[in-house]
């Protein structure tokens, strides 16, 4: 009986064990991924954001839908950057797919009420910069250099990094190790 209780207590303690702190080398590689991604955004952000799914009105009605015709091209741009894990397009599909289904489920009365009241932003991506996950600022390389890690957690070949900007807003990145390289698996609302 005592041995069984000891095993249960040991298992409980181990399940609450803290996630391993990242090594200095891992920390540098993870932050290099964040900084590299943001550098890529400075060069490519306008072109990429122009492809993101948008809410479009349906002609002749009070209804709207989420237009995802450019979703593959949109996710393809992220993937071409070299900073993202192979399953990142699935995170984009999950995010936009959730809203696509939500909008399809609206009743005619709900559409009419939104048309009357004004719909406002329905997705986080309508009201924020999709790369920096905040209200839009004028981003420059000097701003990116000041982004620091607030917390880094390592769990085998997975990691999470919370970064803080000079304006004190935070963004969370999820990473996976692919072929000995840390790649972004998700960030901000795209998890």
């Amino acid at each position: 009986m005592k041995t069984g209780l000891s095993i249960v207590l040991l298992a409980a303690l181990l399940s609450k064990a803290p996630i391993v702190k990242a090594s200095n080398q891992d920390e540098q590689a993870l932050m290099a991924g964040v900084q590299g991604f943001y550098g890529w955004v400075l060069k490519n952000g306008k072109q990429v954001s122009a492809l993101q799914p948008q809410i479009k009105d349906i002609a002749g009605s009070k209804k709207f839908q989420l237009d995802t015709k450019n979703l593959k091209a949109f996710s393809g741009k992220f993937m071409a950057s070299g900073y993202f894990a192979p399953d990142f397009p699935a995170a984009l599909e999950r995010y936009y797919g959730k809203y696509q289904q939500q909008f399809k489920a609206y009743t005619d009365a709900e559409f009419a009420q939104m048309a009357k009241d004004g719909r406002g932003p329905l997705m986080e991506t309508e009201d924020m910069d999709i790369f920096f996950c905040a209200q839009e600022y004028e981003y420059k390389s000097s701003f990116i250099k000041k982004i620091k890690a607030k917390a880094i957690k390592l769990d085998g070949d997975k990691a999470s990094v919370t970064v803080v900007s000079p304006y004190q807003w935070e963004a969370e990145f999820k990473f996976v190790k692919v072929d000995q390289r840390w790649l972004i698996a998700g960030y901000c609302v795209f998890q």
Side-chain angles (χ1 to χ4, degrees):
M1 182 82 161
K2 264 187 164 180
T3 304
L5 183 58
S6 297
I7 290 172
V8 170
L9 287 173
L10 180 61
L13 286 172
L14 290 176
S15 69
K16 303 229 186 256
I19 294 176
V20 177
K21 185 175 178 343
S23 70
N24 194 35
Q25 183 179 2
D26 284 324
E27 285 184 16
Q28 289 176 355
L30 291 163
M31 281 308 294
V34 171
Q35 298 277 345
F37 164 61
Y38 282 145
W40 172 82
V41 167
L42 287 183
K43 294 176 187 163
N44 301 283
K46 287 185 185 191
Q47 177 190 23
V48 176
S49 64
L51 295 171
Q52 73 177 305
Q54 301 285 326
I55 295 174
K56 303 280 183 179
D57 292 328
I58 298 173
S61 78
K62 294 180 179 180
K63 296 181 178 183
F64 55 82
Q65 66 184 3
L66 183 59
D67 181 0
T68 59
K69 73 176 180 275
N70 293 326
L71 185 56
K72 287 203 184 298
F74 181 62
S75 64
K77 293 289 186 182
F78 282 95
M79 297 309 294
S81 74
Y83 292 103
F84 288 85
D87 59 349
F88 181 71
L92 292 173
E93 287 177 22
R94 278 191 303 276
Y95 177 80
Y96 290 109
K98 171 181 74 172
Y99 287 105
Q100 196 170 38
Q101 293 307 310
Q102 181 180 323
F103 300 160
K104 283 181 183 178
Y106 285 158
T107 65
D108 288 344
E110 288 172 310
F111 279 116
Q113 190 65 46
M114 281 187 268
K116 179 182 171 191
D117 297 340
R119 71 170 180 82
L122 296 174
M123 304 183 300
E124 298 95 338
T125 54
E126 285 188 287
D127 201 27
M128 69 175 200
D129 176 275
I130 62 167
F131 305 111
F132 291 89
C133 309
Q135 296 297 321
E136 292 189 43
Y137 298 106
E138 186 177 336
Y139 303 114
K140 298 179 178 179
S141 57
S142 58
F143 178 86
I144 291 169
K145 287 177 186 172
K146 293 177 186 172
I147 293 175
K148 303 292 180 207
K150 179 177 181 179
I152 297 177
K153 296 176 185 164
L154 190 64
D155 187 11
D157 64 349
K158 295 180 180 176
S160 69
V161 178
T162 302
V163 296
V164 62
S165 80
Y167 295 126
Q168 301 306 302
W169 46 257
E170 296 179 8
E172 182 183 17
F173 286 80
K174 302 282 186 180
F175 283 85
V176 294
K177 198 173 244 187
V178 178
D179 296 329
Q180 301 304 311
R181 186 166 174 237
W182 288 109
L183 297 174
I184 300 168
Y187 77 99
C188 191
V189 296
F190 305 127
Q191 298 284 342

